[in-house]
Amino acid sequence: MQTFDLVVVGAGAAGLFCAGIAGQRGLKVLLIDHAEKVAEKIRISGGGRCNFTNRDAGPANFLSENPNFCRSALARYSSQDFIALVQKHGIAFHEKHKGQLFCDDSAEQIIRMLLAECEAGGVTRWQPCTVQDVRDAADGGFELDTTRGPVKAARLVVATGGLSIPKIGASDWGLRLARRLGHAIVEPRPALVPLTFDAADWAPFAALSGLSLPVVVSTGKGKTAGRFVEDLLLTHRGLSGPAILQISSFWTEGQSLQIDLAPEVDLAEKLREAKAQSRRQLGNELAELFPQRLAQAWLERLKIDGTRAMPECKDKDLQTLAEQLQRWQLTPNGSEGWRKAEVMRGGVDTRELSSQTMESKRRPGLYFIGEVVDVTGWLGGYNFQWAWASAAACARSL
Ligand code: FDA
């Protein structure tokens, strides 16, 4: 039986980063992953350019049943720390939008950087390798049966990620292990995911597929409310684009979304003014503010004649149009699910983990890091920042 100080299960963002730091701190580390290829989610992230962090990442950008849990790790390993590492490895990057940092070239550069950090720490990597069983060792550590033979370690880090995109290696192994060892699990749900609608409800909008525009989208009330100003994309089955991916993390079954299709405009006022001052047709007036196809679809849906000149339009019709376009209320019937979700919401309940070290309060020597934990970032590099920060909190405590 081979013996290590630390076994990390899951060679994704959090597992690679944790293994590298622990190895460089002098620990004998084994990193195990059941997938053929290392860090597939990093490879496909950010459209192949990896939005590896967000300059402004802070606790307010994360969802959790225990919102304060992420504070300590994020404060002790910030986006600036990760940027410094990226710069040390000579990786060129750029800011795209709202603090989101992407590689200029390719996400592969981040993977190569993490592998180089592991190499510098003398980390042993077994991949593909499956863990068949985990047992308590007589000395308080862990014994693992794997497809490459049995191993023993004083400490075990679970970095198996979330449930999204099963075809590239996502599994519920970490959640099952946590449950077996008595940990509570916050119900896992697909997040950062397109939302879908009943076919009949969506029929009037399906023809607008491909159309994109900036909106304000909101859902929920009080502490669980979400609100984002981002682009919306209409699809054949429903809604997508950054605005919807963001709000999907806040949305629960049966809840409605409110969408303002004309952010920062008082549409009722604008239409009143146009009625007083313009001789153009209503459809042309609307096309100044919205994509033409969208304006046309709304006029048809509300059975309002868009060919009418502005002065002849009924006040009631203008009022209805303004209300519908700025307070569009609709209830999704579901989401595109794990196949399309970027992340998992929920996971190992943080109330049974140390926020300083990510160690289990139930089983000393056992740690959970990254997306398997009930900490979910917004869209925009926050999820990787959580992977780095939770991995660093764990590895630096060992
Ligand atoms: P991660 O999923 O990276 O790694 C888990 C590893 O565990 C995998 O290698 C898996 O094979 C392995 N594993 C699972 N079960 C196992 C088992 N039973 N035995 C052994 N190994 C096992 N975030 C962001 O901040 N910016 C971005 O640009 C993007 N873009 C993006 C695009 C797409 C399409 C997706 C799906 C996701 C993103 N994300 C993102 C989210 C980000 O990829 C994700 O939050 C992190 O990769 C999570 O890091 P982890 O290490 O926790 O899991």
Side-chain angles (χ1 to χ4, degrees), residues 9-15 32-35 39 41 44-46 50-51 129 159-162 164-165 168-171 173 341-343 369-372 381-385 387:
V9 182
I32 295 178
D33 199 296
H34 67 170
K41 278 199 188 154
I44 61 170
S45 68
C50 187
N51 176 195
C129 173
T160 47
S164 60
I165 328 264
I168 57 166
S171 86
W173 187 88
E342 283 202 10
V343 290
I369 60 172
E371 203 182 306
V372 75
Y382 302 102
N383 285 293
F384 279 136
Q385 187 54 37

Side-chain angles (χ1 to χ4, degrees), residues 65 175 184-189 344-351 374:
E65 295 268 297
L175 296 175
I185 304 294
V186 176
E187 189 199 345
R189 286 197 287 116
M344 170 178 85
R345 196 172 164 191
V348 178
D349 194 324
T350 58
R351 286 166 284 214
D374 173 36

